[in-house]
């Protein structure tokens, strides 16, 4: 792929602008003699200080200078080099060893499945979040409100990278001195390549395998590993793909271990590189973790000696255990937060992880014609039943049906009083949502006022009668009871509001796993409540789950034109263009009410009085994480 | 006797076959198992490859036969969730389940029998009412409600017990009470009615008239005779406790077979589902077999032949 | 005679008469049962609001006797703002409906099996009883879960499952009764005089087992309601928003420490139903056939 000169200039100028915008304020902010001194220190002591203070501007300047030179001299190959030279695995500077024990209650404890190719449940991020394994890249800090700059993702096992957009590869530099638990030796590029290839191999169950985009990972030398993308599939945002769960990111495992003990035995051996070592891992029961004395990250040393994570499925039992002090940390739903904080003296609540959008998907609207990857025509799907019993489904072949169904979906959308749901069901701790574009809320610069949903039950009734839906008609609504990211009470409240405009709602409470086959087979034809990610970067591609594939879908498929926008965003290097594409998609979703967002709920964890310090960092799934920051009394 | 045993064993096999066919059919009917774990990035080739690997391209009967052939050798397949042999996963949960079942059983015996006896002997008195109220409560309180109430009152308010999970002795008292109260209620009613019957019978009146007095009558004669029906009940009960413990296990976070089975159903994890059904059925029929043999040994009059 | 009546505790005589009356006849249980039936039939008239309509604004409102409570919601509201009292009253409908259908159908099926099994004996008996025993050996909860997941969650399916699994209780008892009755003289007489088997079964034996069937039915009402509650707890019981007591207790358990009235009142309703049914069943059994005690 030969980027045009204009493209390159655009790219360079955006990097330049980014660099300038970071340096300028710093320079402007530096006023006194002290800061002048700082500047001097910075340039001299760059290498040492990177670990302690984020030296954003310095790193950037290096990049900019080099980069501009290269571009001018070699117009053919374009390379972007970001290298920082931190001190290699220095011994801990923590004053004393880790002390104390902590007990955490989670709703589920999943089984130990170390091999990525066997992880089909889609919840393997707990292995990293609980501190046993690590991903390749890591930024200094992620919080649920702030996403770091990808250029800063140099504080993990991968300390730098070199991307070659022509060859469609990225070469990563691996930190030295990262040791696996037990006696499994140092982590090298062989382990990295092995981990990713394992998750991407033939017959993999890995929930987020990237076999459609990534060809293989290759070992260049002991500390250099290279990813090879398939032709035309280079991911310009590979950094974000490798610093948290999702997008084919795999926890790093030991090649030597798997080859020594064999796959069958290796599956349950939880040997990683993280701050905690797994001593006992029993599904549905408990996990016992002990501090890793040889952990490489200086600012991430474990502060407690032992962490026990226990499974307590019943929420009242969790709250009871917190009250008696048997459990120190637990996730508590918004509606019980007040009760728990009152009942456990000295406890504090923290928002953890990305908030989850609760969104109604109008199952049955299968409008896509082409399965791009397989070059097949898939229309019409089995679930496309645009008849009187399914008034929310529109058939693209019949414009009248599309108009009618649009009115029905519109009516059902504006009859939801999301502020009330937030106030009552989420105890005011969430917020109402207007768009499916999770990374953009109504305070974001990319939000458009025209997208705001206005609660109007009277207009809803009017629309229903225009669409020919008689009062008393039944709308089925599937509200899965076992999706931890979805609060069924939100679904019940929505169903209630539909009753208020004269319809009957028949709630279906089937388990998610039981219904999933109908999602995959594109036979589901009823509206259902699911979650959507919130946060992350606003330029991520949207609608990936609403296109033809052989796997999971959300029960609907957008038109070919919209799906093209999805594919465009997968490889589009320009940030603003990606935003533009997503804006187009959001406009389209709103015009057709393709999906209906309701509220956003934020997960909270409550930490009891014994916990002095805990700084959960993550903008991904809500989950117990950052165990290394816990300090107990 | 041998004939009796053989017939029972044949019956056991029949039960297992029917139960597992049922589960197998229902599991396959509930949807393509591949649909449970393949993501939105799945290609057609992946889908087909997985179908071949799981043997989904063969007819139902074949698939079942293959599964059954492996199952009798102890290979229930690989659990979809745990990715380890299902047999091992199931077996690892049996101790916890047995512990809870026995705990509940002991509670039921220790409270049910004395109350039943007292209730019958002191008919009409306070003890009678206590016994009957106890039984009524046991039959009208849902296990999850009782469990949560016990946790709230005895564990949180009074701090006498831990709130759940498996651990030392104190950990399994509350779950045993929760699971066992219903069974205890059954014992109270059974013993009470059996004893009432016997106490009123001619046999006892005759013994009384011969001068054999007081407690001797009750314990030696009445109880031994009255114990027969509850013995059968006990057999049914023990097996029922194993399967009915789901609710208790969930409320007290107890890692037993009940929860494993339910989770497997929700995850359409067929190897575990079928394995649990099989093991539980075996346990049930096995326990009943033991009870029947004990019966036959104790009372030569009773022979099923 | 008059002297006797003039004795000191003559005034207590009326009370004692009343007390004896209450102990002889199951007055209270019948009254409670009658109240339930009335509630079930006249629910629309008795309930102050609709059981399925609610307003989130009134979520978890306290019952009337609290200072924050109002007479609009006498027993408070649940998590979706629905009136608890109305739901409990309408719940009588659902619970009684389920009980009636399941026990009715179960009784018919189980009785058939028991009659045939007991009368014919031999192979038929073996097969029939083993078949019925299957329903005990196979874990009901798991099968119910799988069936509901496959076929969907509906009242009809739940009822069908409960019926099949209730045959056992009836079949065993009826079989036992049949075994005894068939040795009776009038049965042999009928057989000798050339009556067909079905005639014998229906005209001579069936009336004899009716009492057993009724007793078993009343005693099983309690366990039926509890099974419904367990299924609701697992998410495969009666589909919401149907007001069934078991479902209400299960849903309300989350709020047991903050909004106790959501679980408490349906729980009381369950308790009263079970108590009255059990007392009634016991009484019927004692009155009709004390021999039954041994087996039940």
């Amino acid at each position: 792929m030969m980027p045009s000169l204009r493209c390159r200039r655009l790219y360079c100028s955006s990097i330049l602008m980014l660099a300038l915008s970071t340096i300028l304020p710093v320079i402007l902010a530096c006023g006194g003699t002290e800061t002048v001194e700082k500047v001097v220190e910075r340039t001299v002591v760059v290498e040492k200080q990177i670990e302690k203070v984020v030296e954003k501007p310095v790193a950037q300047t290096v990049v900019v200078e080099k980069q501009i030179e290269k571009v001018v001299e070699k117009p053919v190959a374009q390379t972007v080099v970001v290298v920082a030279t931190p001190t290699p695995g220095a011994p801990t500077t923590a004053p004393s060893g880790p002390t104390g024990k902590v007990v955490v209650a989670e709703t589920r404890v999943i089984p130990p499945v170390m091999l990525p190719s066997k992880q089909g449940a889609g919840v393997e991020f707990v292995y990293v979040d609980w501190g046993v394994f690590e991903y390749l890249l890591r930024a200094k800090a992620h919080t649920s409100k702030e996403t770091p700059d990808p250029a800063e993702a140099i504080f993990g096992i991968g300390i730098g990278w070199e991307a070659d957009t022509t060859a469609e590869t990225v070469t990563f530099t691996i930190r030295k001195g990262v040791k696996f638990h037990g006696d499994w030796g140092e982590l090298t590029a062989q382990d990295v390549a092995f981990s990713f290839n394992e998750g991407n191999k033939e017959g993999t169950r890995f929930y987020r395998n990237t076999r459609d985009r990534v060809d293989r990972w290759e070992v260049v030398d002991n500390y250099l590993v290279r990813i090879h993308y398939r032709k035309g599939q280079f991911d310009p945002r590979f950094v974000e793909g490798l610093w948290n769960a999702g997008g084919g990111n795999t926890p790093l495992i030991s090649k030597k271990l798997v080859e020594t003990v064999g796959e069958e035995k290796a599956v349950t051996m939880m040997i990683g590189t993280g701050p905690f070592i797994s001593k006992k891992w029993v599904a549905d029961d408990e996990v016992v973790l002990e501090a890793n004395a040889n952990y490489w990250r200086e600012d991430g040393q474990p502060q407690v000696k032992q962490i026990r994570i226990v499974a307590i499925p019943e929420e009242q039992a969790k709250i009871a255990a917190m009250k008696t002090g048997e459990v120190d940390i637990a996730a508590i739903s918004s509606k019980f937060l007040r009760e728990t904080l009152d009942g456990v003296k000295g406890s504090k609540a923290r928002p953890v992880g990305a908030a989850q959008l609760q969104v109604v998907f109008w199952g049955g609207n299968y409008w896509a014609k082409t399965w791009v990857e397989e070059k097949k025509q898939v229309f019409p799907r089995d679930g496309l039943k645009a008849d009187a019993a399914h008034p929310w489904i529109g058939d693209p072949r019949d414009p009248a049906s599309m108009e009618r169904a649009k009115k029905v979906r519109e009516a059902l959308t504006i009859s939801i009083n999301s502020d009330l749901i937030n106030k009552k069901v989420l105890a005011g701790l969430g917020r109402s949502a207007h768009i499916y574009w999770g990374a953009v809320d109504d305070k974001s610069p990319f939000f458009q006022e025209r997208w705001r949903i206005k609660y109007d039950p009277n207009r809803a009734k009017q629309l229903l009668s225009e669409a020919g839906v008689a009062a008393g008609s039944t709308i089925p609504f599937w509200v899965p009871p076992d999706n931890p990211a979805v609060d069924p009470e939100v679904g019940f409240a929505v169903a209630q509001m539909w009753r208020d405009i004269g319809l009957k709602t028949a709630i279906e409470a089937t388990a998610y796993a039981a219904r999933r086959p109908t999602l995959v087979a594109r036979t589901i034809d009823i509206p259902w409540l699911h979650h959507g990610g919130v946060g992350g970067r606003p330029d991520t591609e949207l609608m990936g789950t609403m296109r033809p594939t052989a796997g999971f879908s959300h029960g609907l498929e957008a038109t070919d034109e919209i799906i093209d926008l999805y594919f465009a965003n997968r490889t589009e290097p320009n940030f603003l263009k990606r935003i533009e594409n997503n804006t187009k998609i959001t406009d389209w979703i709103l015009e057709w009410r393709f999906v209906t967002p309701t509220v956003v709920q934020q997960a909270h964890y409550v930490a009891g009085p014994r916990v002095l310090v805990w700084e959960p960092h993550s903008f991904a799934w809500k989950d117990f994480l950052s165990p290394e920051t816990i300090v107990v009394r | 006797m041998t004939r009796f045993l053989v017939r029972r064993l044949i019956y056991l096999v029949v039960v297992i076959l029917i139960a597992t066919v049922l589960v197998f059919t229902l599991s396959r009917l509930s949807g393509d198992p591949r649909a449970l774990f393949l993501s939105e990035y799945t290609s057609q080739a992946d889908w087909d490859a997985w179908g071949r690997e799981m043997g989904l391209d063969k007819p139902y009967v074949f698939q079942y036969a293959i599964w059954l052939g492996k199952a009798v050798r102890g290979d229930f397949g690989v659990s979809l969730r745990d990715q380890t042999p299902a047999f091992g996963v199931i077996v690892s949960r049996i101790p916890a389940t047995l512990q809870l079942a026995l705990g509940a059983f002991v509670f039921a015996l220790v409270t049910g029998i004395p109350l039943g006896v007292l209730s019958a002997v002191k008919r009409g008195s306070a003890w009678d009412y206590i016994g009957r109220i106890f039984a009524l409560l046991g039959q009208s309180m849902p296990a999850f409600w009782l469990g949560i109430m016990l946790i709230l009152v005895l564990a949180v308010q009074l701090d006498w017990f831990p709130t759940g999970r498996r651990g030392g002795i104190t950990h399994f008292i509350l779950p045993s009470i929760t699971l066992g109260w219903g069974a205890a209620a059954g014992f109270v009613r059974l013993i009470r009615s059996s004893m009432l019957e016997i106490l009123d019978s001619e046999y006892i009146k005759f013994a009384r008239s011969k001068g054999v007095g007081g407690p001797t009558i009750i314990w030696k004669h009445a109880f031994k005779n009255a114990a027969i029906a509850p013995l059968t009940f006990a057999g049914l009960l023990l097996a029922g406790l194993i399967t009915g413990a789901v609710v208790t296990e969930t409320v007290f976070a107890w890692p037993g077979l009940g929860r494993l089975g339910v989770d497997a159903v929700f995850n359409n994890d067929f190897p575990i589902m079928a394995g649990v059904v099989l093991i539980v059925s075996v346990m049930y029929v096995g326990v009943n077999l033991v009870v029947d043999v004990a019966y036959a040994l104790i009372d030569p009059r009773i022979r099923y032949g | 005679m008059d002297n006797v009546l003039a004795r000191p505790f003559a005034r207590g005589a009326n009370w004692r008469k009343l007390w004896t009356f209450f102990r002889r006849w199951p007055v209270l249980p019948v009254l409670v049962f009658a109240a339930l039936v009335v509630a079930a039939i006249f629910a629309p008239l008795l309930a102050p609001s609709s059981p399925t309509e609610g307003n989130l604004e009134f979520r978890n409102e306290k019952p009337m006797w609290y200072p924050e409570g109002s007479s609009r919601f006498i027993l408070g509201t649940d998590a979706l703002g629905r009136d608890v009292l109305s739901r409990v009253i309408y719940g009588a409908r659902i619970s009684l409906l389920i009980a009636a259908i399941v026990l009715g159908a179960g009784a018919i099926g189980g009785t058939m099996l028991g009659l045939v099994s007991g009368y014919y004996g031999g192979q038929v008996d073996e097969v029939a009883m083993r078949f019925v025993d299957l329903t005990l050996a196979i874990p009901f909860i798991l099968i119910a879960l799988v069936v509901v997941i496959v076929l969907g969650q509906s009242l009809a399916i739940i009822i069908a499952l409960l019926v099949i699994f209730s045959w056992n209780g009836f079949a065993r008892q009826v079989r036992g009764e049949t075994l005894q009755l068939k040795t009776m003289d009038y049965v042999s007489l009928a057989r000798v005089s050339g009556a067909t088997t079905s005639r014998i079964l229906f005209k001579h034996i069936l009336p004899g087992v009716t009492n057993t069937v009724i007793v078993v039915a009343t005693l099983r009402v309690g366990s039926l309601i509890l099974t419904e509650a367990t299924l609701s707890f697992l998410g495969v019981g009666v589909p919401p928003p149907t007001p069934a007591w078991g479902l209400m207790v299960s849903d309300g358990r989350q709020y047991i420490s903050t909004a106790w009235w959501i679980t408490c009142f349906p729980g009381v309703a369950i308790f009263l139903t079970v108590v009255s049914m059990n007392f009634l069943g016991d009484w019927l059994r004692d009155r009709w056939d004390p021999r039954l005690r041994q087996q039940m």
Side-chain angles (χ1 to χ4, degrees), chain A residues 102-106 315 318-319 322-323 327-334 336-352 429 603-611 614 616 624:
Chain A
V102 152
V103 179
V104 178
E106 290 274 69
E315 181 133 33
K318 241 195 259 177
I319 298 176
M322 286 220 59
K323 285 184 181 166
V327 157
D328 300 301
I329 296 178
I332 307 283
S333 1
S334 304
F336 300 125
L337 211 51
R338 185 99 315 267
E339 172 196 337
T340 312
L341 290 171
D342 290 341
V344 183
K345 270 196 285 293
S347 60
K348 282 208 271 293
R350 288 165 178 71
V352 173
L429 294 170
H604 291 87
Y605 271 75
V606 173
R610 283 186 63 232
V611 176
W614 180 38
F624 168 64

Side-chain angles (χ1 to χ4, degrees), chain A residues 467-481:
Chain A
V469 173
S473 310
T474 308
I475 302 273
F477 187 37
W478 171 38
V479 180

Side-chain angles (χ1 to χ4, degrees), chain C residues 77-233:
Chain C
T77 60
D78 68 0
L80 285 176
R82 297 176 293 206
D83 181 33
V84 170
L85 178 61
S86 308
R87 280 176 72 78
V88 169
I89 293 177
Y90 272 89
R93 259 195 188 176
I94 302 288
S95 299
L96 286 185
L97 189 74
I98 295 180
I101 297 181
V102 171
L103 293 174
I108 294 176
T111 310
M112 286 292 137
L113 280 168
L115 281 175
V116 164
S117 187
Y119 189 75
Y120 286 110
Q123 284 282 62
V124 176
D125 181 22
E126 280 282 328
V127 169
M129 280 304 108
R130 290 297 170 241
F131 167 70
V132 146
D133 277 350
L134 266 179
T135 57
L136 279 179
I138 299 177
F140 169 68
I141 299 279
L142 289 184
I143 300 293
L145 273 179
V146 183
V147 168
V148 170
I149 283 176
V150 171
L151 299 176
Q153 189 183 20
S154 80
L155 203 50
I157 293 180
I158 309 284
I159 289 182
L161 281 170
L162 288 170
V163 166
I164 296 177
F165 280 87
S166 74
W167 283 339
N168 187 294
F170 291 101
R172 281 258 159 221
Q173 296 298 333
V174 169
R175 174 182 174 270
E177 276 296 294
T178 313
L179 282 175
Q180 290 182 332
L181 284 174
K182 80 173 176 184
T183 58
M184 292 267 149
D185 289 338
Y186 64 90
V187 173
S188 328
L189 203 63
R191 215 181 306 146
V192 156
S193 51
T196 59
T197 323
S198 52
R199 197 182 150 80
I200 298 178
L201 281 176
F202 284 108
K203 201 146 187 280
H204 300 283
I205 301 188
L206 185 59
V209 303
T210 319
N211 293 346
T212 315
V213 170
I214 294 180
V215 173
V216 171
T218 45
L219 291 178
R220 288 192 68 109
V221 170
S223 72
L224 201 58
I225 299 186
L226 286 192
T227 309
E228 184 259 306
T230 305
L231 288 175
S232 300
F233 173 82

Side-chain angles (χ1 to χ4, degrees), chain A residues 111 118 203-205 207-208 211 268 284 311 313 317 320-321 324 326 371 374 511 513 516-517 520 545 549-552, chain B residues 35-40 42-44 46-47 50 80-84 93 151 155-156 162-163 165 250-251 253 259 266:
Chain A
K118 307 242 182 249
T204 180
R205 287 172 40 127
Y207 196 72
R208 303 267 182 221
R211 294 181 62 227
T268 51
D284 293 332
T324 58
E326 282 164 78
W371 181 351
E374 304 281 329
R516 196 173 193 266
V520 171
T545 49
T549 70
F552 176 76
Chain B
L36 290 166
F37 57 83
L38 294 174
S39 74
E40 63 264 37
T42 309
S43 67
Q44 188 66 52
D46 278 340
W47 185 257
W50 267 105
L80 286 178
R81 190 187 70 143
D82 292 55
Q83 289 299 306
T84 51
R93 303 282 274 243
I151 292 178
V156 177
T163 58
R165 282 153 293 113
T250 308
V251 171
R259 253 175 76 204
F266 283 132

Side-chain angles (χ1 to χ4, degrees), chain A residues 58-80:
Chain A
V58 180
Q60 300 283 21
T61 23
V62 169
V63 169
V64 170
E65 285 173 2
K66 268 194 187 161
Q67 214 240 307
I68 288 176
E69 276 174 25
K70 277 217 168 102
V71 165
V72 167
E73 284 172 9
K74 290 185 198 172
V76 176
Q78 179 181 47
T79 46
V80 175

Side-chain angles (χ1 to χ4, degrees), chain C residues 17 19 27 43 85 162-163 165 186 225 234 238 242 246 250 254:
Chain C
K17 265 207 212 146
W19 182 238
V27 180
L85 178 61
L162 288 170
V163 166
F165 280 87
Y186 64 90
I225 299 186
L234 293 171
V238 174
T242 328
S250 172
Q254 299 180 73

Side-chain angles (χ1 to χ4, degrees), chain B residues 190-243:
Chain B
L190 259 180
I191 302 253
R192 179 174 181 275
S193 49
S194 296
M195 289 215 54
L196 279 178
E197 159 113 18
I198 301 228
L199 284 173
D200 281 347
S201 76
E202 303 299 323
Y203 172 65
I204 293 292
K205 285 187 187 147
F206 184 63
R208 266 221 185 95
S209 72
K210 288 191 90 186
V212 183
T216 332
I217 299 190
I218 300 168
W219 293 104
K220 262 198 182 162
H221 305 274
F223 187 67
K224 261 202 285 192
N225 283 286
I228 294 176
L231 190 61
T232 345
F233 182 66
L236 287 176
L237 182 65
L238 194 51
L241 283 175
I242 293 172
T243 56

